[in-house]
Amino acid sequence: MQRKYTLSLATILISLTAFVYGQTTSSINGTIEDRSGESVPWATISIPSLKIGVTADSTGSYLLTGIPAGNWELEVKYVGYRPYSLKIRTNGTTPTQKDITLMDERASLDEVVVSGTMKEVSKLDSPVPVEVYTAKFFKANPAPSVFDALQNINGVRPQLNCNICNTGDIHINGLEGPYTMVLIDGMPIVSGLSTVYGLSGIPQSLIERVEIVKGPASTLYGSEAVGGLINIITKNPRTTPILAVDAFGTSWGEINADVAVKFNVSNKVQSLLGANYFNYQNPIDNNHDNFTDVTLQHRISLFNKWNFERRENRVFSFAARYIYEDRWGGEMNWAPKYRGGDEVYGESIYTSRWELFGTYQLPVKEHILFMFSANGHDQNSVYGNTPFLADQYIGFGQLMWNKPLANHDLLAGLTYRYTYYDDNTPATADANNADINKPTHTRLPGVFLQDEISLNENNKLLLGVRYDYNSIHGSILTPRANYKWSSANKNNILRLSFGNGYRVANVFTEDHSALTGAREVIFDGDLKPETSWNGNLNFVKKVPLSSGGIIGFDATVFYTYFNNKIIADYDTDATKIHFGNLDGHAVSKGISLNVDLMLMNGLKVMAGATAMDVYSEEQGQRVQQLFTEKFTGVWNASYTLRKLGLTLDYTGNLYGPMRLPLLSDWDPRAIKSPWWSIQNIQITKSFSNGIEIYGGVKNLLNWTPNKGTPFLIARPHDPFDKLVEWDAAGQPVQTAENPYALTFDPTYVYGPNQGTRGFVGVRYSFY
């Protein structure tokens, strides 16, 4: 009490002095504490833009004077604690009281996560290893979509699946996109068609963080969460800026803009409205094959989230999103009038998609949440003269009950998922009459139970099981077990995970190559659900440095064994893709290491590497999986000059060779890709008024996959195979015009065709 009284008296005296001498300055005062409530003495408190600062006393109290009216950034530093910054407004007359809580450097790796166990928990306390990437991480290499933004995360690779339309999916530890579940605020939104087409258009100005779980999560999240999940957590309307703008353009002519606006509808209702706009209308053909190197796109996405404050802090929020995209790639002289014809080749995709999702806590004594989502996806695509028209509607509901009992933390849930799907492919055709369409209606009720057992202060055991009944494939059971040990100071953590996953596949919604029309799709029997067993060993170690910084190590060994895996066979016939369940097994195994370094001088380095082996084995023959590298590395180095308000970011990735599909024994292209790397640099200038200006260069090495390769797209001059000659078995033959016996094919793709380009942008946040 004596400390606060003395501080208040000093504040009054300063205010009186300012009044007497007519000075328009004010002060900021308060106390510095850590998370446990203990005072932090001798911390440095400053406003760098005003070049004023002060040191807290032995009790953690501070008084910063001589502050004119305006918006300022207050910084607090002390060895062993994370630097703290806060935007604060002063009016030049009234003192401002601000108590500050610092987090020690060990807590920098201890964010709150929800993806591993479906409830908020400290990252270090979670029995499931969860990687967290904040919005600041993605600002180091600004990208127009979530798909592009994930390129600098270890073990996660955006994979382009088409040289022409540039659609793609997300690989986790070498497993293709359909094995990755993408969620928004914990709801399974991105699935099916949008696994390929819907990853773009999520406004990055609305992203709070991205959580990634590697390995099967089917016990909690059901089908598609075999390889892992990506959970995009959007910002809470209560804590966001009133206005946030982020816009940039590139030297290639790309324009991207994110805008987010907060509305306080009432004291208890807040709304966050966001929009993303992306436009690229500049056909470029640097590899001289008469095809666009990058698809032309026109995209708009709208997002609206509502948060309602209720009694006893019960949760109620819901959000909606709409996205429309028009993209095309093809011959340089393509125009919409050629859409669907065989005169000029183009791939034109119209995507229209809506989503609705939310969470409501029931007004009962027990902690029971009702979570819901719904989405509709309309796809109107043409690949040359091959149309793909599809509609998909998904409804999802989940009732979840959380009950702590002694050293047990129980979580139980009931789920129901309904999927409607219709297209113009054999997937929904009548078995007896191909001219009759039969949309699929899939119902998937399920129940899951999870028990997190605290054996003691340092040991936890997580047991879970899920039962689903698929209306087409019947009963599916997925068990799960996780064990966590931590040292007393939590500087060492060991996690062991073991689980089962399953996936029901729809080739035409998941594999773009099945749609291009370049190859005929053949199904080798009815496709059965895939099952997998996975084991992960994860070790995390944090080493506090004497200088006040910290270095962290996160190493994982993973192994996944598949039964009934669905393999796309490009090798048997160059004119066909055979899809069928593997008569054998498939394996994805490897080891990954992440290293995080944070120093008090403003240097931060995040680097990671993954070495893996992904293959299938059938009848004693081992085959390396297509489009899967054996090594990948990523890095993100950031250095901040706080006095100048400048931040320098250097980001990049490195990929090892991957097996690629060839069309004949005479195909002159390499069977494996070379080592390749995309590197970027950016400099950001921050101003006290909330404005940031940034710019830099992407793809510093000007790497493109056509270098060292005779061609990427096979026979681009004859995209409809009008000049190809065929033998009696329906195979292309060698001729003077076609010496390699090839057909038109755009599937030889493993990296982006975009070379070096500059970019410049601006961000603005108003609180």
Side-chain angles (χ1 to χ4, degrees):
M1 291 296 292
Q2 181 64 36
R3 181 181 66 188
K4 291 184 177 180
Y5 173 81
T6 303
L7 197 59
S8 299
L9 182 58
T11 303
I12 293 171
L13 290 174
I14 291 170
S15 300
L16 288 173
T17 302
F19 176 78
V20 170
Y21 289 96
Q23 298 174 351
T24 57
T25 61
S26 59
S27 63
I28 303 174
N29 63 80
T31 59
I32 311 294
E33 297 179 340
D34 62 18
R35 292 196 301 172
S36 64
E38 296 293 325
S39 62
V40 178
W42 320 124
T44 299
I45 304 95
S46 66
I47 299 179
S49 59
L50 295 176
K51 297 182 179 180
I52 60 174
V54 70
T55 300
D57 63 20
S58 60
T59 65
S61 299
Y62 74 93
L63 175 62
L64 192 61
T65 63
I67 306 169
N71 294 315
W72 312 107
E73 184 167 4
L74 183 72
E75 289 189 354
V76 182
K77 298 179 186 177
Y78 189 62
V79 175
Y81 290 86
R82 295 176 61 184
Y84 176 94
S85 64
L86 171 72
K87 294 186 184 303
I88 194 165
R89 180 175 178 81
T90 59
N91 59 15
T93 56
T94 307
T96 300
Q97 172 81 26
K98 183 60 185 176
D99 296 327
I100 295 171
T101 300
L102 296 182
M103 289 192 293
D104 57 58
E105 283 291 351
R106 291 177 300 173
S108 63
L109 303 177
D110 192 20
E111 299 93 343
V112 173
V113 296
V114 297
S115 299
T117 58
M118 272 194 184
K119 52 190 176 63
E120 288 193 350
V121 63
S122 160
K123 177 182 173 182
L124 294 181
D125 287 336
S126 172
V128 179
V130 181
E131 296 181 14
V132 181
Y133 298 90
T134 64
K136 187 175 182 180
F137 172 85
F138 297 110
K139 289 180 180 179
N141 182 29
S145 70
V146 172
F147 176 82
D148 296 314
L150 298 175
Q151 63 184 278
N152 289 321
I153 295 178
N154 187 25
V156 178
R157 183 169 68 86
Q159 165 66 31
L160 286 176
N161 294 325
C162 176
N163 262 313
I164 299 176
C165 68
N166 292 162
T167 54
D169 53 28
I170 303 296
H171 289 203
I172 293 183
N173 287 343
L175 296 179
E176 301 98 321
Y179 297 92
T180 300
M181 174 170 277
V182 182
L183 309 100
I184 300 180
D185 289 339
M187 288 291 93
I189 292 297
V190 180
S191 57
L193 280 172
S194 57
T195 299
V196 177
Y197 301 100
L199 284 171
S200 56
I202 299 175
Q204 291 204 47
S205 59
L206 298 176
I207 296 177
E208 179 73 25
R209 66 185 188 275
V210 175
E211 299 181 4
I212 296 177
V213 176
K214 299 174 182 176
S218 294
T219 301
L220 290 182
Y221 295 96
S223 182
E224 287 126 35
V226 175
L229 64 89
I230 299 172
N231 192 2
I232 300 167
I233 308 296
T234 60
K235 292 181 179 179
N236 188 326
R238 287 181 295 183
T239 58
T240 56
I242 296 174
L243 173 66
V245 178
D246 189 348
F248 70 87
T250 74
S251 58
W252 275 50
E254 299 159 298
I255 298 174
N256 184 79
D258 283 332
V259 180
V261 181
K262 180 175 73 172
F263 300 95
N264 289 318
V265 181
S266 69
N267 291 334
K268 295 186 178 181
V269 181
Q270 301 89 28
S271 178
L272 181 62
L273 177 64
N276 169 258
Y277 178 77
F278 179 76
N279 194 356
Y280 173 64
Q281 303 295 325
N282 183 30
I284 293 177
D285 178 25
N286 284 340
N287 58 17
H288 307 297
D289 59 5
N290 195 41
F291 274 73
T292 53
D293 291 345
V294 178
T295 52
L296 283 74
Q297 300 178 53
H298 192 194
R299 180 180 70 235
I300 185 168
S301 175
L302 301 174
F303 181 93
N304 190 205
K305 184 175 183 178
W306 292 75
N307 188 82
F308 300 83
E309 297 182 22
R310 302 169 58 208
R311 292 181 179 178
E312 300 180 15
N313 292 321
R314 291 192 177 100
V315 177
F316 180 33
S317 67
F318 69 86
R321 185 171 80 108
Y322 174 77
I323 178 173
Y324 176 79
E325 183 180 65
D326 175 4
R327 69 160 64 197
W328 76 268
E331 294 186 82
M332 292 291 288
N333 60 329
W334 186 90
K337 66 181 180 179
Y338 298 116
R339 194 175 196 263
D342 63 356
E343 185 177 351
V344 179
Y345 189 92
E347 297 188 359
S348 172
I349 301 171
Y350 302 148
T351 298
S352 179
R353 178 177 176 82
W354 60 265
E355 302 165 349
L356 177 68
F357 53 97
T359 301
Y360 177 78
Q361 184 176 350
L362 272 59
V364 295
K365 183 178 180 181
E366 297 293 332
H367 186 77
I368 301 177
L369 296 177
F370 174 64
M371 308 173 75
F372 59 90
S373 70
N375 64 74
H377 189 109
D378 176 69
Q379 192 74 28
N380 184 331
S381 307
V382 174
Y383 304 90
N385 57 359
T386 302
F388 174 65
L389 309 174
D391 290 301
Q392 184 179 58
Y393 299 96
I394 298 177
F396 177 83
Q398 177 171 280
L399 199 63
M400 188 174 68
W401 173 57
N402 183 212
K403 182 69 174 179
L405 291 172
N407 65 327
H408 294 261
D409 195 348
L410 298 174
L411 187 73
L414 297 172
T415 67
Y416 183 83
R417 180 174 174 178
Y418 168 78
T419 303
Y420 168 92
Y421 177 74
D422 187 23
D423 67 21
N424 64 327
T425 74
T428 57
D430 187 277
N432 300 316
N433 187 346
D435 295 329
I436 300 177
N437 231 36
K438 294 184 67 176
T440 60
H441 303 264
T442 307
R443 297 165 180 84
L444 190 68
V447 58
F448 63 86
L449 178 64
Q450 174 182 281
D451 185 11
E452 185 175 333
I453 309 168
S454 297
L455 303 176
N456 53 47
E457 187 176 347
N458 305 111
N459 292 272
K460 282 188 178 182
L461 179 64
L462 180 72
L463 302 174
V465 65
R466 181 187 183 101
Y467 171 78
D468 288 305
Y469 184 81
N470 187 290
S471 58
I472 298 176
H473 299 285
S475 299
I476 304 172
L477 187 69
T478 50
R480 171 191 191 187
N482 297 79
Y483 166 76
K484 182 185 79 73
W485 168 86
S486 62
S487 59
N489 59 6
K490 294 188 178 180
N491 282 344
N492 301 280
I493 297 176
L494 180 70
R495 295 182 177 95
L496 179 63
S497 305
F498 182 75
N500 173 243
Y502 78 94
R503 186 176 76 92
V504 178
N506 184 336
V507 166
F508 289 101
T509 69
E510 299 170 353
D511 194 333
H512 170 269
S513 58
L515 307 173
T516 63
R519 298 188 185 212
E520 181 185 357
V521 175
I522 303 296
F523 292 99
D524 299 329
D526 294 332
L527 299 183
K528 301 176 183 178
E530 299 178 340
T531 59
S532 67
W533 291 95
N534 172 275
N536 281 34
L537 179 64
N538 172 253
F539 180 68
V540 177
K541 183 175 183 62
K542 296 179 297 175
V543 181
L545 304 177
S546 58
S547 61
I550 187 172
I551 184 169
F553 301 91
D554 188 333
T556 301
V557 178
F558 57 89
Y559 184 93
T560 303
Y561 183 96
F562 286 92
N563 289 315
N564 290 334
K565 190 176 184 186
I566 298 171
I567 300 290
D569 178 7
Y570 292 80
D571 302 321
T572 301
D573 190 328
T575 65
K576 298 179 175 64
I577 307 176
H578 287 264
F579 288 95
N581 289 104
L582 185 68
D583 184 17
H585 66 272
V587 171
S588 170
K589 61 182 179 180
I591 183 170
S592 68
L593 174 65
N594 288 321
V595 179
D596 297 344
L597 172 66
M598 291 177 286
L599 301 179
M600 295 297 289
N601 64 3
L603 176 65
K604 296 182 180 180
V605 179
M606 300 177 65
T610 299
M612 57 189 171
D613 189 14
V614 184
Y615 62 89
S616 60
E617 191 166 323
E618 189 172 26
Q619 298 177 355
Q621 184 177 3
R622 178 181 291 194
V623 178
Q624 207 68 29
Q625 180 174 283
L626 283 168
F627 308 112
T628 304
E629 69 282 2
K630 286 197 171 186
F631 176 87
T632 179
V634 297
W635 62 88
N636 184 329
S638 174
Y639 183 70
T640 300
L641 297 167
R642 295 188 178 94
K643 291 183 179 180
L644 299 177
L646 293 176
T647 299
L648 182 67
D649 294 292
Y650 172 49
T651 59
N653 48 50
L654 174 67
Y655 297 111
M658 61 185 75
R659 190 170 74 91
L660 302 172
L662 299 183
L663 298 181
S664 72
D665 293 336
W666 305 278
D667 194 328
R669 296 173 295 181
I671 187 63
K672 289 187 176 181
S673 64
W675 287 83
W676 57 283
S677 174
I678 300 290
Q679 300 176 28
N680 321 285
I681 193 167
Q682 173 184 263
I683 187 167
T684 304
K685 169 63 177 175
S686 299
F687 298 90
S688 59
N689 57 4
I691 293 178
E692 290 183 355
I693 296 177
Y694 59 91
V697 179
K698 289 180 178 290
N699 197 354
L700 284 166
L701 304 180
N702 196 29
W703 177 89
T704 52
N706 63 292
K707 295 182 177 180
T709 301
F711 51 85
L712 291 174
I713 301 175
R715 293 183 61 80
H717 65 283
D718 184 25
F720 297 99
D721 292 334
K722 294 179 180 180
L723 303 179
V724 176
E725 295 184 19
W726 311 86
D727 63 17
Q731 298 299 307
V733 297
Q734 288 179 296
T735 64
E737 195 280 332
N738 187 11
Y740 304 124
L742 305 179
T743 58
F744 173 74
D745 190 272
T747 58
Y748 189 93
V749 56
Y750 57 92
N753 288 318
Q754 218 169 3
T756 299
R757 58 204 182 279
F759 67 94
V760 62
V762 60
R763 299 187 187 98
Y764 174 68
S765 298
F766 176 74
Y767 289 83

